[in-house]
Amino acid sequence: MPRRPVTLFTGQWADLPLEELAPLAKEMGYDGLELACWGDHFDVRRALSEDGYVESRREILERNGLECHAIGNHLVGQAVCDPIDARHEATLPAHVWGDGEAEGVQRRAAEEMKDTARAARRLGVGVVTGFTGSSVWHKLYFFPPTSQEEVEAGYEDFARRWNPILDVFDEEGVRFAFEVHPTEIAYDLYSAERALEAVGRREAFGFNFDPSHLYWQFVDPVRFIDRFADRIYHVHMKDAVRTLDGQSGILSSHLPFGDHRRGWDFRSLGHGGVDFEEIIRALNRIGYGGPLSVEWEDSGMDRVHGARESAAFVRRLDFEPSGVAFDAAFGEE
């Protein structure tokens, strides 16, 4: 297995133009970028309508010695299944938000995700990472009492809205790597299984594995890899820490990221509790050869320092599986 490329997800860097971020990413030690479909990094509509736009993105990457293996459209994907409210206006393109009428927003978001598959194909990448949203996340606690019929209706709503999107992914030869995450239709191992079943386990739908979201829920990320070995289409490298101290709670008390009173938070790679060596061993076990994409989030650390350190961390940690049993030389000649 060749060395996996180390890439940087640009979503947390969208305040920087791609012309500025690309040389910085190379200087920090990255092989490529996972381009976010916000900021000026990758514009889905321009990719499909403007001659030379896709070539301009490629030229910036190539000039800086960078590759692109995936694009991410999490913010628009979130609006496909979510109950729409005023918060979504801040994260959606104006043409998707429109007049803010909920069903119209969801419908336009679905069309934008179809176009994202088409734009990915035009760029020459085979994976789109993102979110799905969920019509039932807010019913998580089961009070007021929530029936399984209501929950099932949420998965049916997900399938109804996403199967036509996945049809376009199939047509374009692109896969959707869904990031299992709180607020989504799947947020842990069992809900991920249920989401897969809802869309008939079709190949267009798999996972963008991110251990941080599993770790703080006390779900073993390695068990997720083993369970969905054929569905790990992309990997985010992100760390988290649990800081439960008898006063804090795992639901984080409505405290913002970075508040030391939270029961958990994101950390720069190597500064949290995720066992990345076991993750690399599990990825080797399933034969995953795609990028290891750093999604850098740490409210307490300078991001350039953290991202540079994270690139070195991943490069140092990643290793190829053994091609021979270590005790093979013990045998008779």
Side-chain angles (χ1 to χ4, degrees):
M1 181 189 298
R3 185 179 63 83
R4 286 171 281 235
V6 180
T7 62
L8 177 69
F9 178 50
T10 71
Q12 289 77 13
W13 305 74
D15 57 308
L16 299 180
L18 186 59
E19 281 276 15
E20 184 177 339
L21 176 59
L24 175 61
K26 187 65 176 180
E27 185 272 329
M28 291 189 298
Y30 289 92
D31 300 314
L33 298 177
E34 176 193 349
L35 292 176
C37 296
W38 56 90
D40 87 329
H41 296 175
F42 191 76
D43 187 306
V44 169
R45 290 212 301 181
R46 292 181 69 186
L48 297 180
S49 64
E50 186 178 312
D51 289 343
Y53 176 78
V54 168
E55 290 72 19
S56 75
R57 304 294 92 181
R58 288 200 200 103
E59 191 278 329
I60 293 171
L61 294 171
E62 291 170 2
R63 178 170 15 108
N64 290 282
L66 296 170
E67 306 166 343
C68 182
H69 299 274
I71 60 174
N73 207 353
H74 299 65
L75 303 185
V76 171
Q78 184 72 36
V80 174
C81 289
D82 260 14
I84 301 300
D85 61 39
R87 296 172 302 161
H88 292 85
E89 184 175 9
T91 60
L92 292 173
H95 66 275
V96 174
W97 176 255
D99 62 4
E101 187 275 321
E103 186 60 36
V105 173
Q106 291 174 305
R107 185 171 59 253
R108 289 187 293 274
E111 292 304 313
E112 185 85 351
M113 292 309 295
K114 294 175 185 177
D115 282 345
T116 304
R118 299 178 179 115
R121 175 73 174 185
R122 186 163 292 189
L123 184 63
V125 303
V127 173
V128 172
T129 60
F131 294 151
T132 61
S134 171
S135 65
V136 292
W137 166 257
H138 64 289
K139 299 180 178 181
L140 178 71
Y141 191 70
F142 279 28
F143 187 85
T146 303
S147 69
Q148 281 301 303
E149 288 75 19
E150 289 176 86
V151 175
E152 185 57 33
Y155 283 90
E156 290 171 358
D157 176 75
F158 156 67
R160 177 175 64 84
R161 294 181 187 277
W162 273 91
N163 270 323
I165 299 170
L166 297 173
D167 289 342
V168 177
F169 274 76
D170 278 333
E171 292 167 8
E172 298 297 328
V174 176
R175 290 176 167 179
F176 182 64
F178 162 55
E179 187 169 335
V180 172
H181 184 288
T183 78
E184 310 307 324
I185 196 63
Y187 50 90
D188 62 8
L189 192 149
Y190 292 120
S191 56
E193 186 69 47
R194 199 163 183 175
L196 263 181
E197 292 296 334
V199 293
R201 306 188 76 87
R202 57 189 301 173
E203 288 189 12
F205 185 82
F207 300 118
N208 176 42
F209 170 75
D210 184 326
S212 65
H213 306 297
L214 299 168
Y215 171 80
W216 73 258
Q217 296 180 75
F218 292 85
V219 176
D220 183 352
V222 171
R223 297 289 291 273
F224 190 95
I225 294 172
D226 288 338
R227 178 73 165 265
F228 301 110
D230 63 337
R231 296 295 170 141
I232 306 299
Y233 293 165
H234 193 261
V235 169
H236 272 181
M237 299 291 277
K238 189 164 71 173
D239 211 341
V241 64
R242 297 190 293 250
T243 53
L244 300 171
D245 60 3
Q247 296 185 98
S248 59
I250 205 63
L251 299 183
S252 300
S253 311
H254 281 207
L255 296 168
F257 291 117
D259 192 308
H260 71 281
R261 296 171 296 170
R262 285 173 59 94
W264 72 274
D265 213 335
F266 295 121
R267 288 286 189 271
S268 191
L269 285 178
H271 295 275
V274 174
D275 188 339
F276 285 100
E277 179 172 333
E278 288 305 311
I279 286 170
I280 293 298
R281 290 179 183 275
L283 293 175
N284 286 344
R285 189 160 59 243
I286 69 169
Y288 175 79
L292 302 175
S293 186
V294 171
E295 184 181 18
W296 191 85
E297 294 182 354
D298 189 327
S299 297
M301 183 183 291
D302 174 78
R303 68 178 176 179
V304 173
H305 172 91
R308 181 181 288 115
E309 185 183 62
S310 294
F313 177 88
V314 176
R315 203 173 298 285
R316 183 174 64 252
L317 182 69
D318 191 24
F319 54 85
E320 296 183 17
S322 175
V324 62
F326 75 87
D327 58 351
F330 297 170
E332 296 179 356
E333 293 184 6

